Amino acid sequence: MKKIGVLTSGGDAPGMNAAIRAVVRKCIYHNVEVYGIKNGYQGLIEGNIEKMEIGSVGDIIQRGGTKLYSARCEEFKTDAGQNKGIEQLNKFGIEGLVVIGGDGSFRGAQKLTAKGYPCIGVPGTIDNDIPGTDFTIGFDTALNTIIEAIDKIRDTATSHERTYVIEVMGRNAGDLALWAGLADGAESILIPEQPDDFQDVIERLKRGHERGKKHSIIILAEGVGSGIDYGKKIQEATDLETRVTVLGHIQRGGSPTANDRVLASRLGAKAVDLLLAGKAGRMVGIENNKLVDHDIDTILTVEHTIDEEMYQLSKELSI
Amino acid sequence: MKKIGVLTSGGDAPGMNAAIRAVVRKCIYHNVEVYGIKNGYQGLIEGNIEKMEIGSVGDIIQRGGTKLYSARCEEFKTDAGQNKGIEQLNKFGIEGLVVIGGDGSFRGAQKLTAKGYPCIGVPGTIDNDIPGTDFTIGFDTALNTIIEAIDKIRDTATSHERTYVIEVMGRNAGDLALWAGLADGAESILIPEQPDDFQDVIERLKRGHERGKKHSIIILAEGVGSGIDYGKKIQEATDLETRVTVLGHIQRGGSPTANDRVLASRLGAKAVDLLLAGKAGRMVGIENNKLVDHDIDTILTVEHTIDEEMYQLSKELSI
Amino acid sequence: MKKIGVLTSGGDAPGMNAAIRAVVRKCIYHNVEVYGIKNGYQGLIEGNIEKMEIGSVGDIIQRGGTKLYSARCEEFKTDAGQNKGIEQLNKFGIEGLVVIGGDGSFRGAQKLTAKGYPCIGVPGTIDNDIPGTDFTIGFDTALNTIIEAIDKIRDTATSHERTYVIEVMGRNAGDLALWAGLADGAESILIPEQPDDFQDVIERLKRGHERGKKHSIIILAEGVGSGIDYGKKIQEATDLETRVTVLGHIQRGGSPTANDRVLASRLGAKAVDLLLAGKAGRMVGIENNKLVDHDIDTILTVEHTIDEEMYQLSKELSI
Amino acid sequence: MKKIGVLTSGGDAPGMNAAIRAVVRKCIYHNVEVYGIKNGYQGLIEGNIEKMEIGSVGDIIQRGGTKLYSARCEEFKTDAGQNKGIEQLNKFGIEGLVVIGGDGSFRGAQKLTAKGYPCIGVPGTIDNDIPGTDFTIGFDTALNTIIEAIDKIRDTATSHERTYVIEVMGRNAGDLALWAGLADGAESILIPEQPDDFQDVIERLKRGHERGKKHSIIILAEGVGSGIDYGKKIQEATDLETRVTVLGHIQRGGSPTANDRVLASRLGAKAVDLLLAGKAGRMVGIENNKLVDHDIDTILTVEHTIDEEMYQLSKELSI
């Protein structure tokens, strides 16, 4: 394989730049040419493709977002769209493709691979909702962004004796909420993977209040529902002053943490290794601190789960 | 004067702890006893009062929130409430009071002073809406919290070509929005002090989009209206993908910036100086980098204004 | 077991407070009384011991340092010192002890256990140099502190075309240097576990310089030697302007990252579980994302190693 | 004036990019062409000059360092060097120059102006050592970097009962040390502008220690001498465990604070206004929150002073 392409697709995640950098540098290390495709599959269809050099990835390892931009692309879900993409790849002589993104992005990679075009997926999403890897690129950064925000809210919560409901991202996954809740000592953590026992939430709040607790924090995963609605329910049920913060898009940005930079570097480099070894249709991941790879077909059918023991611990520590 | 009291009242602001620390240490420096009153005027009425020592303010200069807690107190707006407060102060032998807070808090100080009980106000609020001081304690920290959040949003905005509307705090004042907009190169800044020319906002967005701009950021002061509503209007008028973030209570917390710590230390110490010099009913402030003090009566009647030149500059730089 | 004690010992690490909090809350959850011992083994000998309640660990999960303080204690290395410690524990009726610290601290726990007093070790040190756990409490925070510092230095390095040598902590272990180097794209990483090929370092620098690279960063683990000396050698050998920064004690402090808070919470709670299950002389750890425990005797004889694959990757990506 | 040039020179400072951005956008706002000169006066001599557009300054307002790079240049101190610079400016048709930097940089601007070539200086240096402006671009960011570092050190200092000596930048000026010391509640602040009463420092340390203080922090401006030497003297005189941290180059980098971005934007825009108004040989500054300009000749002869009242306050609050 003499030419490899790389693109980012779907929602952006901090660390994507570090993954791009690793793909580029690993290729150059192996004397393989490397091409950046801009705006994800949209740019692939349009031939928005440029050769990358070492200098192209200078000073980006620490940047949030993605230097190659990202976009959602309906056309690429069609057979015709995929064929246009392969045409462009052939035109540039690109023989293999690294796709950095989430499950939607992997579906595209799966389709290209099925058409005989070798792709490797790199899991990049803050939601940590991809099976086959313990962590996705961006999760650790988003998590730290969340706890820094909660730390700030806690200052004012303490000053005023209030209940705060904080809605965090994660799509259908509760990982961000669960980890953030444990890391910030939340009273209650509401995630899609666990039934919401409203009565239990209310009793914890009341118990804390009676014990003289100055503030209470409830973390709600967006997959469970609207933080604003939940806050109203809480206020009605407890009569405690309740404020809601929807953290929103600050969770997708920021300079990646060390963990995300290292993970992205390892996964990006591994993706190149797989392509050079003639592999296709695989997703790289990290499991038990070791680099692994799985069939994308399998990944897309497995369901995401949370760590039950951590959820249980969160209950025990928030007495 | 041998005994001085200190309380924080109203919305908390980063730097209030540094101000408390300065009051306590300045008193001790002058061999004056100092008493902390918890939960603002509510605690004053209830006699929730404790003697403070140097150790009471150890390790708090860098903490957000207020160690003395804050609360709103309806009862203190009444004559009876104020008399109860004075009773408590007399009981403890406290001869003067430092009130750290916003305009609501100063009204209480004004009432006490009118009843012959000497108070000095220290302006602590993130909104920067107090006349008689160029900056209030907490403004600089909130401003930096805002721009860090916008920097993060910008990462993801750049990756996806979107318009972001960001609603920031400030009550009826536009200072946080104006400074944040200038500091983050926002396309448009909407503040209560200036008419909102919607057509101009739309045209800037379109112009930027045509020029190939990857993202646009609009800062909206809460005093202007709801960010969520505004985002809808923008999306309808431009057909550009528009997302809204309401920054919420993260803006009130966090470790204070150097500026806020220094300002709080200077103002807190100055308040003690004034009490010891026999002054009453004054608010300390900083104007032109110099410590000043004004009559609280005057402060409460003057209207807050923004820096017109900075607003004009924001227009010129966001072409 | 009805009463459990907890202490922190050795160099402090961010996350120790979260571990203390988990020990306290897990005990209370199980209706076990819990006692905090201040200043490590020194306080144990002196009986500097206090009962802890839920409120004792309020608002500390996000704080660096250790609320129980730490100290080195020569006396506790002696038989007599250990006996004094057991006497104090007996006096308070404390039946088991959780020791949060590094290998030096575990030696104390080992001695107490050998004398029939059950101890469990929790690995808390920024150095990540404890076998039997993939990560120690504090490592992730220190690592992020380092990369934030390097990100800042990189700004000025880029502006001026310089070589920077940055000395990081880690005692005899190279983990902080290796991870930081990978996370920040350092040109060369010098760690005690790998031979230092000075000629290779020089050639990388020259190669980068010829390619027009604006700056080069070399990370040196303190276990390798003095950064200041190394900087001089580099400057002499390359004639490139070289600056040295010894990051120093900023690496030990700061609010713990989400990862460190979660890890500390899990390990602290697990230590209580082990004591309640009648275990003694064990160290808890995390391996492959799962909680484990090992015999302290074994831990103290195994040698720490680094991840060879990551070291190799760092070479390939820094071409 | 139809074409304006801009360069950064001397030590870089956070906010220089925001100043460049303001110069470029203000020029374009007034339909003036604007040229970026790379590597300071060195690039001017070499003709390393490029036309800048709005897109050239996209996404830089929040970046540390300087996009135009900086360099020291011996040749430009000579008459011949200055003439070469003017030749290049004439070649490109550039009629006026904005010089962002410190006093060394202004000497160059002064020379060019004396030869009939209009220059305006913008004060950019973390040291805050330029007369004629209350604050220089970069000071606020460096100050906040310092206090964040000290906050971290304080965590570990508290845990271990130690004295820390922290050496901060500032060249011959004590502003960074004084403000940081006030903002972090340092026991003693040593600056070049004030005599160093060693005995007083020692007595404060001992007094604090006797009072049970867990840690003491001494801030030393680099202009006073070596932190490492000072630490040794302290340790010998007090017998308290003393550690030294030399903060080094982390102080020059980092994303600029809101204050620095706003200040840089205002000063950069004002410089363009002055050139367009036919002014030359002036330095823009901010005094009493208002934009001002002074003759560079005057600025270079006035001595920098510190705020005596703040120094006195630091003594009173660190009892």
Side-chain angles (χ1 to χ4, degrees), chain A residues 24-67:
Chain A
V24 169
R25 287 181 158 245
K26 198 67 177 5
C27 282
I28 293 171
Y29 177 80
H30 291 298
N31 290 312
V32 171
E33 286 187 13
V34 58
Y35 290 78
I37 297 150
K38 291 196 176 162
N39 298 320
Y41 292 120
Q42 188 62 42
L44 180 56
I45 288 176
E46 296 165 0
N48 193 345
I49 300 175
E50 268 176 31
K51 187 151 183 284
M52 297 183 87
E53 310 292 349
I54 287 191
S56 320
V57 292
D59 210 31
I60 68 166
I61 198 170
Q62 82 279 25
R63 304 258 183 251
T66 157
K67 193 190 165 72

Side-chain angles (χ1 to χ4, degrees), chain B:
Chain B
M1 196 167 282
K2 281 292 150 211
K3 293 186 184 181
I4 285 177
V6 57
L7 62 77
T8 51
S9 162
D12 61 318
M16 280 186 164
N17 278 326
I20 295 167
R21 176 183 176 274
V23 169
V24 169
R25 287 182 159 244
K26 197 67 176 10
C27 282
I28 293 172
Y29 177 81
H30 290 298
N31 289 311
V32 171
E33 285 188 15
V34 59
Y35 289 78
I37 297 150
K38 290 195 178 163
N39 298 319
Y41 292 119
Q42 187 63 43
L44 179 56
I45 288 176
E46 296 164 0
N48 194 346
I49 300 175
E50 269 175 32
K51 186 152 183 284
M52 298 184 85
E53 309 291 349
I54 286 192
S56 318
V57 292
D59 210 30
I60 67 165
I61 198 172
Q62 83 278 29
R63 305 259 183 251
T66 157
K67 193 191 165 74
L68 291 176
Y69 308 119
S70 188
R72 310 214 181 252
C73 176
E74 285 305 310
E75 189 180 355
F76 200 74
K77 293 181 184 163
T78 68
D79 208 59
Q82 293 150 19
N83 290 341
K84 279 192 202 167
I86 292 179
E87 224 169 89
Q88 291 289 353
L89 290 162
N90 289 337
K91 199 174 104 189
F92 282 83
I94 301 169
E95 299 159 83
L97 186 62
V98 178
V99 172
I100 306 168
D103 50 11
S105 315
F106 294 162
R107 264 177 243 286
Q110 187 187 31
K111 293 290 166 55
L112 291 181
T113 305
K115 285 173 184 280
Y117 194 90
C119 294
I120 302 291
V122 174
T125 162
I126 64 167
D127 303 322
N128 210 38
D129 59 352
I130 313 267
T133 189
D134 292 335
F135 299 106
T136 55
I137 298 168
F139 173 68
D140 190 53
T141 306
L143 181 61
N144 279 289
T145 297
I146 292 169
I147 68 161
E148 281 165 28
I150 299 176
D151 287 350
K152 287 194 210 301
I153 290 171
R154 189 206 290 270
D155 285 336
T156 190
T158 304
S159 303
H160 283 284
E161 305 202 20
R162 280 177 188 152
T163 302
Y164 279 83
V165 173
I166 297 163
E167 182 190 316
V168 304
M169 285 185 165
R171 294 202 309 170
N172 294 317
D175 291 56
L176 281 173
L178 175 57
W179 282 70
L182 252 181
D184 246 311
E187 260 58 41
S188 295
I189 301 170
L190 300 159
I191 54 176
E193 292 88 346
Q194 291 283 342
D196 164 12
D197 182 349
F198 188 67
Q199 215 40 50
D200 179 54
V201 173
I202 299 304
E203 266 152 39
R204 277 162 186 278
L205 283 176
K206 288 188 174 160
R207 218 157 54 214
H209 185 67
E210 278 154 22
R211 215 174 58 224
K213 220 164 170 316
K214 302 298 290 183
H215 67 273
S216 297
I217 287 175
I218 296 169
I219 311 282
L220 181 93
E222 66 177 352
V224 170
S226 151
I228 289 167
D229 295 346
Y230 202 85
K232 279 184 198 142
K233 274 175 63 183
I234 294 282
Q235 171 122 20
E236 278 162 24
T238 61
D239 222 29
L240 298 170
E241 195 183 346
T242 305
R243 299 291 172 93
V244 177
T245 294
V246 179
L247 286 181
H249 279 79
I250 60 169
Q251 296 166 86
R252 289 205 174 285
S255 178
T257 58
N259 244 320
D260 271 332
R261 298 187 199 180
V262 169
L263 177 62
S265 299
R266 294 172 76 182
L267 294 181
K270 174 80 175 176
V272 172
D273 280 340
L274 290 185
L275 280 178
L276 295 183
K279 300 282 184 70
R282 313 289 293 174
M283 184 195 82
V284 294
I286 189 161
E287 285 180 327
N288 303 337
N289 296 326
K290 299 214 165 29
L291 296 179
V292 294
D293 59 289
H294 295 283
D295 199 288
I296 287 181
D297 294 337
T298 316
I299 292 303
L300 290 174
T301 55
V302 176
E303 212 172 322
H304 169 74
T305 54
I306 58 145
D307 187 321
E308 294 277 347
E309 183 210 303
M310 277 178 58
Y311 183 74
Q312 179 55 28
L313 179 62
S314 78
K315 294 272 185 199
E316 297 183 5
L317 294 187
S318 62
I319 38 166

Side-chain angles (χ1 to χ4, degrees), chain A residues 187-190 196-207 218 230 234 238 315:
Chain A
E187 261 56 41
S188 293
I189 301 171
L190 299 159
D196 165 12
D197 184 348
F198 187 68
Q199 216 39 52
D200 180 53
V201 172
I202 298 304
E203 266 152 40
R204 278 165 185 276
L205 283 176
K206 288 187 174 161
R207 219 157 54 215
I218 296 171
Y230 202 87
I234 293 283
T238 61
K315 293 272 186 200

